[in-house]
Amino acid sequence: MRQKNKGFTLVEMVITVTIFAILLGILVPSLNSILGFRAQRAANSIASALDKTKIEASNRLVGEMKLEKLDDGYYISYYFDRGKVGGESNVKQDQPEKIAPARTLISYVTNDNVTHQMDNTGDSVVITYDRATGGFLPLQET
């Protein structure tokens, strides 16, 4: 009795590789748009956080926000000055809001044209808006 060969033919392999190449060609542009969407969403979140900080400062003298990288992503939190209670400052930190996954790379440029990248867990920057001067104060890296 003759044993039947159980391998793939060359034609079957060529068809399979062709199908995978076509599917990969369709998938790659979709992945690029998804990654671009995440970056755009993070940029929009930072811009709205800066606006919220500016609005908060209009109600008080100073508004602050903190952009921080944690293990699972980037978070923005706000510091609200609720005035003095019992003669002591009453500054509260708002609940952090996640704006981007950890794979996202966020960088910023300081006034001296030095680019900094937030790539380590625990990296953070505090952005302060001063109503008296009408502008943002120099960044505070923590």
Side-chain angles (χ1 to χ4, degrees):
M1 198 180 230
R2 190 170 172 186
Q3 189 173 9
K4 189 173 181 181
N5 188 358
K6 294 184 180 184
F8 295 107
T9 66
L10 181 60
V11 173
E12 291 171 333
M13 290 300 289
V14 167
I15 291 172
T16 304
V17 169
T18 303
I19 291 171
F20 280 131
I22 291 170
L23 290 175
L24 189 62
I26 293 169
L27 182 66
V28 168
S30 298
L31 288 176
N32 286 337
S33 66
I34 289 171
L35 295 176
F37 174 74
R38 286 181 181 165
Q40 185 63 44
R41 187 177 67 194
N44 290 342
S45 294
I46 292 171
S48 73
L50 291 173
D51 286 341
K52 185 174 180 178
T53 302
K54 192 174 181 180
I55 291 168
E56 183 66 26
S58 69
N59 297 332
R60 293 154 183 79
L61 288 178
V62 177
E64 283 188 342
M65 66 164 267
K66 181 178 184 181
L67 175 62
E68 182 175 25
K69 182 174 183 185
L70 300 177
D71 289 331
D72 63 335
Y74 292 90
Y75 289 83
I76 288 180
S77 56
Y78 303 95
Y79 291 91
F80 299 115
D81 185 357
R82 300 296 183 206
K84 293 192 175 194
V85 174
E88 294 188 22
S89 179
N90 186 20
V91 177
K92 302 283 184 188
Q93 181 180 4
D94 194 19
Q95 184 70 24
E97 171 189 345
K98 186 173 183 178
I99 63 162
R103 297 182 306 272
T104 307
L105 298 177
I106 294 180
S107 61
Y108 57 92
V109 179
T110 54
N111 287 343
D112 52 356
N113 288 328
V114 177
T115 302
H116 301 272
Q117 186 166 328
M118 299 179 70
D119 49 6
N120 297 321
T121 298
D123 285 353
S124 65
V125 67
V126 175
I127 302 169
T128 306
Y129 185 84
D130 186 5
R131 182 178 75 176
T133 62
F136 288 97
L137 299 176
L139 296 175
Q140 304 168 34
E141 296 180 39
T142 58

